[in-house]
Amino acid sequence: MLTKEYRICMPLTVEEYKIGQLYMIARHSLEQSDAGNGVEVVENKECYDEEHGKGQYTEKRIHLSSRLPYWIQAFCPKVFYIVEKGWNYYPFTITVIEACIRHIQT
């Protein structure tokens, strides 16, 4: 297998790029959130891995009930959401996505 690598010179440092990337992700999450729907950030903290070094851990709940087609909403409870856990060790990213249904106790 032949692998080719291309590099593009950027007018910013890696640290500036990382800050900009985090800002744009937060801004997009805010724009997609309205009236209890959208993205809820549960945890956002620095983390460390022996292999990748220093990084950022983020856990988000993405509420999708009102964004699904109507025929799926009929089967899907209103308390349906997706949990996204992400470890960002620039340039490596690890993401785990889980579908959850919150149990309501009566």
Side-chain angles (χ1 to χ4, degrees):
M1 174 167 63
L2 179 64
T3 303
K4 292 187 177 185
E5 180 177 316
Y6 297 95
R7 295 181 182 227
I8 300 172
C9 295
M10 299 292 288
L12 24 123
T13 66
V14 173
E15 190 62 33
E16 290 172 332
Y17 175 81
K18 288 166 66 174
I19 292 169
Q21 180 188 31
L22 289 173
Y23 170 76
M24 290 308 296
I25 290 170
R27 181 175 169 187
H28 179 72
S29 296
L30 180 65
E31 289 174 355
Q32 295 299 314
S33 301
D34 60 341
N37 293 313
V39 179
E40 171 190 357
V41 177
V42 177
E43 192 172 0
N44 189 7
K45 64 179 184 178
E46 287 189 8
C47 61
Y48 183 80
D49 183 63
E50 292 181 12
E51 183 180 348
H52 302 296
K54 191 172 100 172
Q56 190 79 16
Y57 169 75
T58 307
E59 181 178 340
K60 300 176 188 174
R61 288 184 186 163
I62 305 168
H63 301 274
L64 296 174
S65 298
S66 67
R67 299 188 186 266
L68 296 172
Y70 290 114
W71 63 274
I72 294 178
Q73 287 182 19
F75 300 105
C76 183
K78 294 286 184 191
V79 290
F80 172 76
Y81 60 91
I82 293 175
V83 175
E84 176 189 286
K85 297 178 182 178
W87 293 264
N88 187 355
Y89 306 103
Y90 180 82
F92 303 103
T93 302
I94 302 166
T95 304
V96 175
I97 298 176
E98 304 169 350
C100 299
I101 298 175
R102 187 176 5 170
H103 298 287
I104 299 175
Q105 297 179 358
T106 57

